[in-house]
Amino acid sequence: MYKKLSFVIAVIMIAAMILAACGTSTSGEVTAADCGKEGVFCVGLVTDVGKVDDKSFNQTAWEGVQLAKTNGDVDWIQYIETVDSKDYDKNISTFADGGYNAIVTVGFNLTEPTYAAAMKYPNVKFIGIDQFLSKDDTHPDWPLANLVSISYNEDQSAFLVGALGAMMSKTHKLGAVCGTDAVPPVWRYGEGYKAGAAYADAKMGTTTEVTVVYHSDVGFDKTFTDPTWGADTANSMIDKGADVIFGCGGKTGNGAVDAAANRGVYAIGVDTDQYYTLPEAAARMLSSAMKPETEPVAAVLKLTADGNFPAGGIYMGPSGYAPYHDLASEVPANVDSEMQAIQKGLNDGSIKTDVPPVKPSE
Amino acid sequence: VKRLKELLNSLLVPLLAIVTAIIIGGIVIAVVGGNPFAAYLGLAQGAFGSAKALSETAVWATPYIFAGLAVALAFKGGLFNIGGEGQLAVGAVVSALIGYALPEWLHTSIPWFIHLPLTVGLGVLGGAIWGAIPGALKAYTGGHEVINTIMMNYIALNLTSFLLNGPMRDPNPLNLSAKTPDIAVSARIPPIFPGLRVHWGFVLALLMSVFIWWLLQKTTLGFEIRTVGANPDAAKYAGINVKWNIILTMGISGALAGLAGVIEVTALNYRHELGFSLGYGFDAIAIALLGKNNPYGVVLAAILFGAMRNGGTRMQFLTQIPVDIISVIQALILLFVAADAIIRFIYRIRPGEERLVLTRGWGG
């Protein structure tokens, strides 16, 4: 028995050594061991509970880090995938203790651990994604000199697709199926959508009826993960005549987008260009309200590596709308040029959405 | 010498299962393009390489020990408790509620030597009741505990979701997640060393394993539990109250699983939130099997699982090998322990001991 065992082990060791030899990198390349040395810029990324290939937030953030590496702005990148929320602190400090210069933390749930780590490691730069902080009793020292949150004007992205929907609708009825409005970005999406439709009405002389439904009747664990409710709500909107459906809120919104595509009306996605992430709805995907992560993450990393870390606590990411893809032939030229004009107006400030950052309390 | 040999014999299959799983895991790592030696070195460093690493391993092992003991004790009584997850959630919710709300209800602060025992005790009671209900269903109606504990899991998890989103949700307007307010300082179990997260709950877990061993081996109750587990008909003939014994076994098992949740709340997180405890109750089944339902075996298995979970971070940090490999290795260990015929075949070990009865059929 022991003979056999040692034989098995020997075979495996040899196999592993051969494989290891193949994988050994040539000398001169930067490795993790160089982090903390002068002139080497290392970036670590900590995911929320999830993977770097989740086709969502974790993935696009990691792509941003990879882009910074490809551009040559940073020397070494590495990620840690969180498996349990009690490991947030440990995962962040693994990078900080390893001499990393900048740490990207992805997702709302890492807000507090990131703030705490930024206080503990003043020499490390922290970049939080989807984390909302302001000066208050629990964060008296905000903004910190080494912590920045990448934020977005969701209302502007939704304003664009709202205007597009209003110009494309034949029934002049738009629907939006969203997660809970207790999350400020979701509320900004919903309000921006309405404001965009109203802007298009004023421009085109139409009257569009906009229905925005938030899934606020359930808990936070369900509100973004309820595609059945999303589909049902979208279907009832379509039954009432809506021919453009904006799905804004994780899987709940995806359910609405799928339902819209099934019924053959226009579907509008959210956050990323969902033409790619929801292939079953791609044929009816008019556009998506974009909140691109990849480029801003790479941009902030470049600033950080150059010694121009964006202070002030917040870095505004760009807003925009996704291409029409398969439906490009259905979008009239005047609508397309109007869309470009609105995008330009939002960028230079001549058009305002008039949506406040958070929902005014009743 | 004979006892030592017996001990080694009983350890042989689990140890070979671990070794085989690690070897196959190494092959998987090599196939996906990693270096297995670097990966396992990182794993070991992350789990045991520093004071902080040891502390985090203990933190991970603590709920595993309690939940593993819960499953092992039920197995000894011939019951398969899959409800650890639900019992853990109930324990956590109750202790969080007592931890933050009791001072508010009484409009005064409470000294820790009253508040902490109440917080822990009521949380454990909650877990015990959650475990005893399927026990009673089994005893009086014959409803199988496997089905009923799974049902109770759903009730517990949805109830937790309701409570954390509704009545027990942290009312702070800045709070956007489903969590309770922090528990009072008087309800917290402190860390053992300043600067490290390892807490007295780990020590309690070790003591608990001694206590459970003593309970099972040295007391009348333990003898009755084991007898009912080995042969309920004979137990009944011998005058043991089998029905009451089943309820009691499930109650104690639920209390232990509840304690896993209580300790996570009072000693680590200081609040309860959704998303915590994903699968401890299920990992516990693997730990009980690997530990051969022996309380000390459970401790060793729990530390092994905790070390792998904790060391996985450093392994990924050093080698970028996906942490999923840990789940692969754990699943392989479980496979080899449960289907020990595979291990016996590979290493040509003769079956020595009698087979362990884990659970019985309907109404058995």
Side-chain angles (χ1 to χ4, degrees):
Chain A
M1 157 194 151
Y2 291 107
K3 220 180 215 171
K4 202 164 230 167
L5 180 63
S6 43
F7 176 72
V8 171
I9 292 176
V11 168
I12 289 157
M13 283 174 112
I14 292 164
M17 280 172 191
I18 294 167
L19 281 161
C22 298
T24 308
S25 59
T26 49
S27 59
E29 255 177 58
V30 174
T31 65
D34 297 321
C35 292
K37 287 184 189 159
E38 195 69 31
V40 179
F41 196 86
C42 296
V43 178
L45 176 136
V46 178
T47 70
D48 199 347
V49 176
K51 313 251 122 210
V52 289
D53 55 359
D54 63 355
K55 292 201 170 71
S56 180
F57 252 62
N58 289 321
Q59 179 168 347
T60 41
W62 175 238
E63 283 167 1
V65 177
Q66 287 174 309
L67 182 62
K69 173 84 161 52
T70 317
N71 292 345
D73 298 323
V74 304
D75 302 309
W76 175 256
I77 58 171
Q78 191 91 302
Y79 62 80
I80 292 176
E81 290 167 332
T82 304
V83 290
D84 190 296
S85 58
K86 73 179 169 198
D87 283 344
Y88 289 146
D89 297 319
K90 188 185 87 182
N91 294 350
I92 295 172
S93 59
T94 299
F95 282 125
D97 293 336
Y100 278 62
N101 309 76
I103 299 171
V104 180
T105 64
V106 188
F108 170 76
N109 289 324
L110 278 99
T111 308
E112 298 302 331
T114 306
Y115 184 85
M119 297 283 284
K120 192 176 166 196
Y121 299 98
N123 296 324
V124 181
K125 305 289 190 242
F126 290 89
I127 299 155
I129 296 170
D130 215 23
Q131 298 168 8
F132 320 102
L133 281 169
S134 54
K135 193 179 176 70
D136 56 45
D137 293 347
T138 34
H139 312 100
D141 298 319
W142 190 89
L144 303 176
N146 62 332
L147 170 65
V148 69
S149 313
I150 297 180
S151 299
Y152 298 88
N153 294 313
E154 286 86 358
D155 49 320
Q156 295 189 356
S157 309
F159 187 94
L160 285 159
V161 295
L164 177 65
M167 290 187 284
M168 293 297 291
S169 172
K170 290 174 186 69
T171 60
H172 299 295
K173 284 183 179 162
L174 306 188
V177 180
C178 296
T180 175
D181 58 350
V183 173
V186 175
W187 183 77
R188 290 202 293 268
Y189 270 135
E191 294 304 301
Y193 186 66
K194 288 184 203 166
Y199 177 86
D201 277 352
K203 263 269 165 22
M204 301 284 165
T206 50
T207 309
T208 304
E209 186 188 320
V210 185
T211 315
V212 178
V213 177
Y214 297 101
H215 200 10
S216 303
D217 48 335
V218 293
F220 273 74
D221 52 324
K222 295 253 166 59
T223 182
F224 295 110
T225 54
D226 201 348
T228 318
W229 181 89
D232 289 348
T233 310
N235 276 321
S236 88
M237 286 173 172
I238 297 166
D239 290 340
K240 287 177 190 146
D243 63 351
V244 178
I245 299 291
F246 174 35
C248 63
K251 294 193 175 106
T252 308
N254 293 353
V257 166
D258 282 341
N262 275 336
R263 297 282 295 269
V265 302
Y266 290 128
I268 296 174
V270 78
D271 289 347
T272 59
D273 188 349
Q274 291 202 295
Y275 178 85
Y276 299 108
T277 52
L278 294 175
E280 61 278 14
R284 298 303 303 165
M285 191 67 81
L286 181 61
S287 183
S288 298
M290 301 266 280
K291 187 176 171 177
E293 252 186 306
T294 307
E295 294 77 17
V297 168
V300 171
L301 285 174
K302 179 174 169 46
L303 288 171
T304 312
D306 294 344
N308 303 320
F309 185 74
I314 290 171
Y315 176 89
M316 270 304 172
S319 44
Y321 63 104
Y324 317 121
H325 295 291
D326 296 356
L327 298 177
S329 57
E330 292 184 27
V331 179
N334 67 322
V335 170
D336 184 43
S337 61
E338 185 61 43
M339 286 302 291
Q340 290 176 23
I342 297 172
Q343 171 89 70
K344 194 164 167 292
L346 287 169
N347 287 351
D348 65 24
S350 60
I351 299 176
K352 292 204 162 40
T353 65
D354 291 327
V355 176
V358 290
K359 187 184 181 184
S361 45
E362 287 100 41
Chain B
V1 178
K2 189 164 172 277
R3 285 196 57 185
L4 190 71
K5 206 170 176 186
E6 267 175 24
L7 182 72
L8 280 175
N9 247 326
S10 67
L11 283 175
L12 195 59
V13 169
L15 279 179
L16 287 175
I18 294 166
V19 169
T20 314
I22 287 176
I23 291 172
I24 296 179
I27 296 174
V28 173
I29 292 172
V31 166
V32 300
N35 178 343
F37 297 102
Y40 286 135
L41 188 67
L43 191 65
Q45 273 181 8
F48 306 111
S50 65
K52 194 173 172 185
L54 284 169
S55 154
E56 290 296 314
T57 296
V59 164
W60 265 102
T62 304
Y64 280 156
I65 295 175
F66 286 123
L69 287 173
V71 178
L73 181 105
F75 274 148
K76 286 279 187 192
L79 297 160
F80 195 169
N81 179 10
I82 308 188
E85 197 77 0
Q87 293 144 17
L88 201 146
V90 170
V93 163
V94 172
S95 64
L97 180 70
I98 303 300
Y100 80 82
L102 195 61
E104 289 172 28
W105 293 337
L106 301 178
H107 298 291
T108 170
S109 61
I110 311 166
W112 70 268
F113 53 86
I114 298 174
H115 197 186
L116 182 57
L118 268 179
T119 308
V120 173
L122 290 174
V124 168
L125 185 67
I129 292 170
W130 218 255
I133 293 170
L137 289 172
K138 167 104 172 181
Y140 289 104
T141 70
H144 203 289
E145 78 278 4
V146 167
I147 307 293
N148 286 327
T149 48
I150 293 175
M151 300 289 185
M152 294 295 280
N153 277 347
Y154 285 112
I155 298 173
L157 296 178
N158 282 307
L159 190 68
T160 311
S161 169
F162 162 73
L163 288 172
L164 292 186
N165 281 302
M168 288 175 65
R169 188 166 161 194
D170 185 354
N172 184 334
L174 294 169
N175 169 39
L176 292 177
S177 50
K179 64 179 182 196
T180 66
D182 281 1
I183 60 172
V185 176
S186 53
R188 295 181 187 181
I189 295 175
I192 304 176
F193 310 106
L196 294 176
R197 290 208 299 173
V198 61
H199 47 74
W200 290 103
F202 178 65
V203 177
L204 183 66
L206 297 180
L207 293 176
M208 189 56 76
S209 70
V210 179
F211 174 75
I212 295 297
W213 176 84
W214 175 80
L215 179 78
L216 282 171
Q217 301 299 332
K218 301 286 172 190
T219 67
T220 316
L221 175 65
F223 177 74
E224 289 184 358
I225 290 175
R226 286 185 291 132
T227 309
V228 172
N231 189 335
D233 295 328
K236 195 173 176 186
Y237 185 72
I240 295 172
N241 186 342
V242 175
K243 287 189 187 342
W244 172 241
N245 211 277
I246 289 174
I247 300 172
L248 200 61
T249 306
M250 283 303 288
I252 300 173
S253 178
L256 285 166
L259 193 53
V262 169
I263 295 300
E264 289 289 279
V265 167
T266 54
L268 191 66
N269 299 324
Y270 303 139
R271 61 167 181 268
H272 188 42
E273 64 186 296
L274 281 184
F276 136 79
S277 164
L278 297 165
Y280 295 166
F282 303 117
D283 282 351
I285 298 166
I287 287 162
L289 286 173
L290 180 59
K292 293 250 160 182
N293 295 334
N294 176 308
Y296 303 132
V298 165
V299 170
L300 292 177
I303 291 176
L304 177 74
F305 270 50
M308 287 203 287
R309 281 285 166 217
N310 174 38
T313 304
R314 187 152 187 89
M315 181 191 79
Q316 183 167 52
F317 170 70
L318 290 176
T319 62
Q320 293 282 276
I321 290 162
V323 273
D324 306 284
I325 196 74
I326 302 296
S327 303
V328 172
I329 295 171
Q330 288 184 346
L332 285 167
I333 293 176
L334 180 59
L335 176 76
F336 290 139
V337 170
D340 59 354
I342 303 173
I343 288 295
R344 290 183 191 284
F345 175 76
I346 296 175
Y347 300 102
R348 302 276 187 275
I349 307 168
R350 255 183 283 268
E353 63 217 275
E354 58 181 296
R355 281 202 60 80
L356 192 64
V357 180
L358 294 179
T359 185
R360 292 172 188 291
W362 299 94

